[in-house]
């Protein structure tokens, strides 16, 4: 069985969203019955550029398709949307996210695939949480952040940052190139100490990553500029303990 793809204007789609539609089910007329689809299959609606809403087919009758009120989404078209009628598609096979790099549209099936690509292709996103999140919201989700209703549709910041940290801290790839950000990434992760033992251990992994990529300048900067206050503080604490032990020993003589 196949899913269905339609192209409709944004006003029509907006009127049939779950949050605004006043009715038990929606319907769309068809001149030809979609024999390869049926109840339980997905129905996707594109504005021409992206799929911006989807639902589940409840019934196919002669001359119309009935479906539940729409859920707003933003993902790439699985096929070129038809000007009239419908197109058979496989909704599970199409990517969920797309973004244009250097004029070429790239499609990704999972959020992990997307974040990995952003970290790989845009080095500045390794250092800036704001830039990474804003790119996902404005260029991937295609949201107008100046409009309150679209601003509210933003993907959760914590979800984006969590995936970023999985790559940068746990998988030890695409770490920050800025020394201060590298330290913050280590301190901000609850798993960093367990995985790397210490800040120094994490920095060594970051240096190793960039040296393997032929980025010795980045590795040298991390080596020269990252400070290890915890280690310095620990060494000083040990000195104080030793001094106190010696003082007690002298007093006991």
């Amino acid at each position: 069985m196949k899913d269905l793809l339609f192209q409709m204007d944004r006003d029509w789609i907006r009127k049939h969203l779950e949050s605004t539609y006043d009715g038990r089910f929606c319907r769309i007329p068809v001149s030809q019955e979609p024999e390869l689809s049926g109840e339980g299959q997905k129905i996707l609606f594109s504005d021409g550029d992206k799929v911006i809403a989807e639902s589940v087919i409840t019934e196919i009758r002669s001359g119309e398709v009935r479906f539940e009120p729409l859920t707003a989404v933003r993902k790439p078209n699985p096929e070129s949307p038809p000007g009239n009628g419908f197109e058979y598609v496989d909704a599970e096979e199409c990517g969920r996210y797309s973004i244009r790099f250097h004029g070429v549209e790239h499609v990704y099936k999972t959020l992990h695939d997307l974040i990995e690509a952003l970290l790989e292709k845009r080095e500045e996103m390794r250092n800036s949480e704001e830039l990474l999140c804003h790119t996902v919201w404005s260029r991937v989700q295609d949201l107008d952040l100046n409009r309150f209703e679209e601003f509210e549709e933003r993907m959760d910041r914590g979800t984006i940052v969590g995936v970023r940290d999985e790559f940068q801290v746990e998988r030890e790839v695409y770490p920050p190139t800025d020394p201060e950000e590298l330290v913050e990434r280590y301190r901000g992760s609850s798993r960093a100490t367990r995985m790397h033992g210490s800040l120094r251990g994490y920095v060594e992994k970051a240096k190793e990553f960039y040296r393997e990529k032929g980025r010795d300048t980045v590795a040298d900067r991390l080596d020269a500029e990252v400070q290890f206050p915890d280690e310095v503080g620990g060494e000083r604490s040990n000195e104080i303990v030793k001094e106190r032990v010696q003082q007690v020993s002298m007093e006991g003589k």
Side-chain angles (χ1 to χ4, degrees), residues 92-115:
E92 295 302 321
E93 290 298 320
C94 69
R96 293 189 62 193
Y97 309 98
S98 70
I99 187 171
R100 188 175 294 273
F101 290 115
H102 306 297
V104 178
E105 193 79 11
H106 295 263
V107 178
Y108 304 97
K109 287 188 176 182
T110 69
L111 180 61
H112 280 71
D113 292 339
L114 170 68
I115 299 300

Side-chain angles (χ1 to χ4, degrees), residues 99-101 114-140 160-161 163-165 167-168 173-178 181-182 185 210:
I99 187 171
R100 188 175 294 273
F101 290 115
L114 170 68
I115 299 300
E116 182 176 17
L118 292 175
L119 294 174
E120 178 186 10
K121 297 178 184 295
R122 297 287 302 278
E123 188 171 299
E124 61 270 29
M125 294 191 192
R126 303 176 193 181
N127 299 315
S128 174
E129 175 182 320
E130 287 303 321
L131 180 59
L132 177 63
C133 291
H134 192 274
T135 299
V136 172
W137 296 330
S138 62
R139 294 185 56 194
V140 178
I160 299 171
V161 171
V163 175
R164 179 205 64 183
D165 288 353
F167 283 106
Q168 292 192 318
V173 294
Y174 313 115
T177 57
D178 180 86
E181 282 296 324
L182 190 69
R185 201 71 76 251
Y210 284 111

